[in-house]
Amino acid sequence: METRKTFARSTRPALKCGLASASALLLAATISAAAQEPPWTERAIGAHVEQRDLRGELPAIVLEELRRQGETLFTAKFTPADGVGRPLATQAATPMKRRAATTGLFDRATGPDANACAGCHNQPRAGGAGDFATNIFVSEAPGADLSPMPNPALANERGTTHVFGAGLIELLAREMTADLHAAREAALIKSRETGGDITLGLVTKGISFGEITATAAGSIDTSRVEGIDPDLVVRPFGQKGVFVSLREFTVDVLNHHLGMQANERFGFAHTGELDFDGDGVSTEITEGDVSAMVAWQAGLPPPAEREPENEQWRDAAVRGKQMFGEMGCTTCHVPALPLESLKFADPGLYDAPGTLSANDVPEPAIYDLALLDWAANLSRDADGRVLVPLFGDLKRHRIATPADPLGNEQLPQRGVEPGVFMTAELWGLASTAPYGHRNDRITIDEIIRAHAGEAETARRSYETTAEKDRSDLIAFLKTLIIDD
């Protein structure tokens, strides 16, 4: 069974910055006029988005239509006619064959475990978080695909996080990565000029990632790098901070959790097979389909800090925000980070093979997030930079040992040790209970008391402070919401 192969073909080679040209209008019209399946069809994808139509800075009309298609794909309930399921492919990020074909469609242990992205990302609406019932199991360990049930020795259990404000998060990560790479290059240049070792601190947007030492021989010592991989690429997605981009995350989870293979990783050019997973469907997800899903996620509005109508709550939240800093929470949960540009290039520069990158296309598409309504409400600093109110630092920290409440995991993930996690961004916290990396903490009080490791000092400060101060802190955190 084959999916339909084409979607949104324009008659022009490019869409130029800010110009609603004839080709842009035609692209929007052809997307809207894509062939319609009968209303009773058991297929979620009527037609595919073509990547070649997406290049340059997209006019607002095209970005809006692309995002509409992305939302359709994100909320679509895929069926076997679309290619859902992967009888011969594993959950691994690198295309791998199963030792034996699966006989069923869904498998809670290793996936597929859903037939829609919104099946898990739905709290308080599509793109949001998930309850404990939507927990998934993450593992690329050999043999995990044969496990008949979730096994902590083969898989780590994770809760679903929201993706609101994700475009701003990725843009921050890209700028931080560029800063860190510039520091590395500066250290190498200076070491060659001086003929000796040069040690430089790795600080970007006020966040320290340790330091590097460049030698005159041209090598880099990364042994004192903190909270990031030695390649100095900030990976802001995933609870362990292992996905560099929304694109990588989307391609990975489409395969893992839905059994929908993206051409850019599982297509003939990369695997030598038209139907790598052996489900009878080729061209399940095109490069353009992924771009549409990325555009929708990147354009989701950031969570907000709500001012309570209740006067008592409002006064408590003001005091609680002050306590948040005094208790040391802002050491990791930094209230806001500055962002230079709202122009989101897709694909980006830092994706590894297996995900489409800027080097794989003649010209990336540019999604200018400033065109979206919510962008007008973003705060800016004195230099005109957007202040992204994420309450995070895009850095990994050790917050648990095996003896601690959050230390249940046994496996590393892509080299990140158990007990080490990316600082959870707190924006949207009040809308996304339960908490913790496996959704096993019901209240904010519980998840704070579960902190250990590098967060132990702040946790002890919380535990030993007056009950009213703790109540005020929670009153503040309860103002961090995702608007319905």
Side-chain angles (χ1 to χ4, degrees), residues 178-265:
D179 288 347
L180 297 177
H181 286 185
R184 180 177 61 192
E185 183 62 23
L188 286 169
I189 291 173
K190 193 169 183 180
S191 68
R192 287 195 296 268
E193 291 175 346
T194 62
D197 293 352
I198 296 295
T199 297
L200 285 182
L202 296 171
V203 179
T204 172
K205 300 186 185 297
I207 307 301
S208 173
F209 291 91
E211 60 185 26
I212 55 172
T213 297
T215 70
S219 65
I220 292 285
D221 178 2
T222 60
S223 61
R224 294 183 298 281
V225 170
E226 301 172 357
I228 193 173
D229 290 338
D231 63 1
L232 307 185
V233 173
V234 177
R235 292 174 168 82
F237 299 118
Q239 296 194 35
K240 303 282 278 189
V242 296
F243 294 106
V244 72
S245 65
L246 283 169
R247 191 169 197 104
E248 181 189 14
F249 174 78
T250 299
V251 169
D252 197 75
V253 300
L254 279 170
N255 172 67
H256 187 148
H257 301 300
L258 286 79
M260 295 289 291
Q261 283 72 45
N263 282 356
E264 61 198 72
R265 182 172 299 175

Side-chain angles (χ1 to χ4, degrees), residues 21 57 74 79 93 144 209 260 283 320 330 335 413 419 421 440 465 471:
S21 62
E57 191 162 328
F74 193 93
T79 74
F209 291 91
M260 295 289 291
T283 314
T330 55
Q413 184 181 0
F421 293 89
D440 59 354
T465 195
S471 176

Side-chain angles (χ1 to χ4, degrees), residues 376-388:
N377 298 321
L378 294 171
S379 298
R380 294 180 179 268
D381 65 12
D383 297 320
R385 298 176 299 179
V386 170
L387 293 175
V388 181

Side-chain angles (χ1 to χ4, degrees), residues 50-98:
E50 289 288 356
Q51 182 66 31
R52 66 172 173 266
D53 295 320
L54 305 173
R55 55 168 63 180
E57 191 162 328
L58 303 191
I61 187 174
V62 180
L63 178 57
E64 179 183 0
E65 186 58 33
L66 183 66
R67 294 193 66 245
R68 186 183 72 80
Q69 288 300 317
E71 182 177 17
T72 297
L73 289 165
F74 193 93
T75 57
K77 296 183 179 181
F78 299 113
T79 74
D82 300 303
V84 76
R86 44 177 170 81
L88 289 176
T90 73
Q91 75 285 358
T94 302
M96 294 177 62
K97 294 286 191 180
R98 286 183 181 268

Side-chain angles (χ1 to χ4, degrees), residues 90-177:
T90 73
Q91 75 285 358
T94 302
M96 294 177 62
K97 294 286 191 180
R98 286 183 181 268
R99 301 177 188 180
T102 56
T103 56
L105 180 59
F106 295 128
D107 186 337
R108 290 294 295 147
T110 62
D113 44 29
N115 68 321
C117 299
C120 297
H121 292 276
N122 54 32
Q123 184 176 282
R125 54 189 172 92
D131 206 336
F132 185 84
T134 66
N135 280 11
I136 52 87
F137 300 89
V138 179
S139 176
E140 298 180 4
D145 57 301
L146 298 180
S147 177
M149 60 185 298
N151 184 337
L154 294 175
N156 294 322
E157 185 177 359
R158 299 284 171 75
T160 305
T161 56
H162 75 79
V163 291
F164 286 90
L168 298 175
I169 293 289
E170 183 167 343
L171 287 174
L172 281 171
R174 292 179 183 185
E175 290 183 0
M176 295 169 81
T177 296

Side-chain angles (χ1 to χ4, degrees), residues 24 53 68 136 269 303 306 310 357 359 366:
D53 295 320
R68 186 183 72 80
I136 52 87
R306 171 184 59 191
N310 178 284
S357 76
N359 297 320
I366 305 294

